[in-house]
Amino acid sequence: MNKMKKSCILKYIEIFLTVVEIAITIFLGIVANDIQKNQETISRKSEPLIYEVIGGIKSLQYQIEERPELKIDSYAPVIIVKQGVIDVLKVIKYNGKDLKILGQPNEKMMEKYRLSDNVLEMKVEQNLTDVHNNKLYDYFFVYIKSGDGLEHLDLIYTEINLKKGGKASKPKLKTKIDILDNSNKDLGYLEMMDSYKKIIENIDKILEGELQLY
């Protein structure tokens, strides 16, 4: 009888130790996974930011005051991060007269971006240039602070051609270097780039709320 009790106790101990071993293995696996993720995040944050802008789904539509009969479908701009991390992103609208800082996309969207394949879809209120030669531009600026601490101020725009029923290009990205390119003489493009220059010259004061551009 005593031998049977001892045998049962030993089996219970053996089962308990097996369960404990499994639990410890799972716990260590979770800890190791978290450590790896943290290391990857730290590593990504130290990398220079590289991103591009593509057209997402056709979820935008333009109705131009000068051509009310036209309804032009367009792509929502999508930011795809190729390298590095976006820590801060602020959308700035400025058309040479009125300035509006829209702030960062809501935290739910930013968290989704951080956990996904680094895709951010931007849906921004339209900001159109004047029409010149049947062409105009819808544009906004993005102020980005990347994980490595560097600051970026870039321009995202869509070109809209009113000829042949109207057509919108896929969203395009311009950086500060592109300001030096004077090859495009289109008046709407120049109007947009003039706004870009003014924003760059005053970005610190704008973000600190010291200056409003009108």
Side-chain angles (χ1 to χ4, degrees), residues 11-196:
K11 283 183 180 179
Y12 288 139
I13 291 172
E14 187 178 340
I15 292 170
F16 173 76
L17 291 174
T18 301
V19 171
V20 170
E21 184 180 353
I22 292 171
I24 290 172
T25 302
I26 293 172
F27 173 75
L28 291 176
I30 292 171
V31 170
N33 189 50
D34 287 344
I35 291 171
Q36 184 179 354
K37 283 184 179 178
N38 288 336
Q39 287 175 338
E40 287 174 358
T41 300
I42 292 169
S43 176
R44 284 181 58 208
K45 279 198 167 190
S46 65
E47 295 173 342
L49 178 67
I50 299 175
Y51 79 94
E52 63 180 26
V53 173
I54 64 168
I57 59 174
K58 274 195 172 182
S59 58
L60 304 179
Q61 189 176 79
Y62 295 107
Q63 289 185 283
I64 311 303
E65 188 177 340
E66 291 83 351
R67 299 285 298 276
E69 76 280 8
L70 295 180
K71 292 183 180 179
I72 305 170
D73 293 327
S74 182
Y75 302 90
V78 173
I79 289 177
I80 297 182
V81 178
K82 297 287 190 179
Q83 180 180 287
V85 172
I86 293 175
D87 271 350
V88 177
L89 187 151
K90 291 187 178 182
V91 176
I92 301 173
K93 281 181 56 185
Y94 177 59
N95 60 5
K97 298 175 184 177
D98 303 310
L99 171 77
K100 190 174 183 181
I101 298 179
L102 303 181
Q104 181 157 297
N106 63 61
E107 188 53 35
K108 186 176 179 181
M109 183 184 288
M110 289 300 291
E111 188 61 23
K112 185 179 177 182
Y113 145 72
R114 294 183 189 106
L115 296 174
S116 70
D117 53 353
N118 301 328
V119 172
L120 261 176
E121 185 177 51
M122 312 294 293
K123 291 185 178 179
V124 180
E125 183 183 339
Q126 293 176 14
N127 184 39
L128 302 173
T129 66
D130 293 332
V131 177
H132 299 284
N133 297 321
N134 285 311
K135 192 182 292 184
L136 69 160
Y137 299 83
D138 179 22
Y139 67 101
F140 61 92
F141 305 95
V142 285
Y143 166 82
I144 292 173
K145 190 169 184 180
S146 52
D148 59 358
L150 293 180
E151 296 175 300
H152 311 255
L153 181 64
D154 298 330
L155 166 66
I156 295 174
Y157 74 95
T158 298
E159 183 179 319
I160 305 158
N161 195 321
L162 301 182
K163 292 181 180 178
K164 298 181 180 179
K167 185 178 180 181
S169 71
K170 289 189 177 181
K172 300 177 183 179
L173 174 69
K174 292 288 184 182
T175 65
K176 287 187 288 187
I177 296 174
D178 295 305
I179 290 179
L180 303 175
D181 179 13
N182 297 316
S183 58
N184 191 334
K185 302 297 184 183
D186 182 79
L187 292 178
Y189 181 84
L190 295 175
E191 177 186 326
M192 180 174 66
M193 296 307 279
D194 282 343
S195 294
Y196 192 11

Side-chain angles (χ1 to χ4, degrees), residues 4-15:
M4 288 180 64
K5 283 184 179 180
K6 286 181 180 179
S7 178
C8 287
I9 290 170
L10 288 173
K11 283 183 180 179
Y12 288 139
I13 291 172
E14 187 178 340
I15 292 170

